[in-house]
Amino acid sequence: HHLLKYHLFPLKVSIVRSSYETALTNYDQEWFKKTVELAKQYLIESDDILSQVEGNHFIGLSLSPRDENEKPLIKVHLEKALELSKSCNQFVFARIANSVAENLSYGNEEEKQKAVQLFEESLAIKENTEIKDLPGIARSCGGLGRYYFFNKPDELEKARKYFEKDLEVSID
């Protein structure tokens, strides 16, 4: 029974990920809603921490920031995914930290500072491992570039540095 549960984990995550990626192809709100349903059905209530991380992550990414009822739940699910990811491997934490940072970067000044910290932590993990996560490095650099570009006052040299690194990594 335990072995079967272990083998179903990748399948359940793949089902939810496929729904999410389908939603992303044309930002179809119905598919985002389906992703939330699937994540709740297959991942959130799991005994497995990684399933819970993935479930909260997909829900946080799939809820609509334009819906006033869903908007506060985005942060709740992303923060829960981040907290749970601390007990997983560093690659999982880095990926979730990037998503949380992206969400926080639209918040108040304190949230933006937390976003910078998370982007930097995520970037450090992605750059200093045997397996360089190039798409992840690009996303972290892009997030930091946007932060410094839109910061008040703007910090254009820092923004340029991160945007150039984002572009350089994306071209590789």
Side-chain angles (χ1 to χ4, degrees):
H1 178 70
H2 179 70
L3 191 58
L4 178 61
K5 232 168 90 173
Y6 177 77
H7 288 295
L8 288 177
F9 166 75
L11 178 61
K12 289 178 178 182
V13 171
S14 294
I15 290 168
V16 178
R17 184 182 313 279
S18 294
S19 177
Y20 177 71
E21 289 176 358
T22 300
L24 283 179
T25 58
N26 60 0
Y27 289 89
D28 185 327
Q29 292 306 307
E30 290 306 311
W31 275 103
F32 283 121
K33 287 178 186 170
K34 185 68 174 170
T35 302
V36 170
E37 289 171 23
L38 290 169
K40 287 179 179 177
Q41 180 180 352
Y42 291 132
L43 303 175
I44 290 293
E45 299 301 321
S46 173
D47 297 335
D48 178 62
I49 297 291
L50 188 54
S51 294
Q52 293 173 29
V53 169
E54 294 292 355
N56 279 287
H57 188 223
F58 281 120
I59 291 171
L61 294 175
S62 298
L63 292 170
S64 173
R66 293 185 188 96
D67 182 319
E68 290 305 314
N69 294 322
E70 291 184 0
K71 189 175 183 177
L73 296 175
I74 295 170
K75 184 186 266 183
V76 169
H77 284 284
L78 290 177
E79 292 284 346
K80 174 106 181 190
L82 183 67
E83 189 57 38
L84 291 169
S85 75
K86 291 176 182 175
S87 65
C88 298
N89 69 51
Q90 62 182 351
F91 302 111
V92 173
F93 174 78
R95 183 170 43 86
I96 304 301
N98 211 77
S99 295
V100 173
E102 192 66 45
N103 180 262
L104 291 174
S105 67
Y106 299 103
N108 61 37
E109 196 53 43
E110 184 180 324
E111 291 172 324
K112 288 178 182 177
Q113 290 303 312
K114 175 78 171 161
V116 169
Q117 175 195 343
L118 288 170
F119 276 133
E120 288 174 346
E121 281 182 59
S122 178
L123 187 58
I125 291 168
K126 292 168 187 171
E127 287 182 327
N128 296 316
T129 57
E130 309 88 50
I131 305 170
K132 297 242 186 266
D133 175 9
L134 295 179
I137 291 170
R139 280 190 290 278
S140 294
C141 288
L144 286 165
R146 284 187 300 282
Y147 170 77
Y148 289 116
F149 184 79
F150 291 109
N151 196 23
K152 300 291 181 220
D154 60 41
E155 298 180 60
L156 296 180
E157 280 310 306
K158 279 187 178 179
R160 170 195 232 101
K161 177 183 102 174
Y162 284 111
F163 284 142
E164 286 175 351
K165 185 164 186 172
D166 178 0
L167 182 60
E168 175 187 317
V169 170
S170 296
I171 290 173
D172 287 348

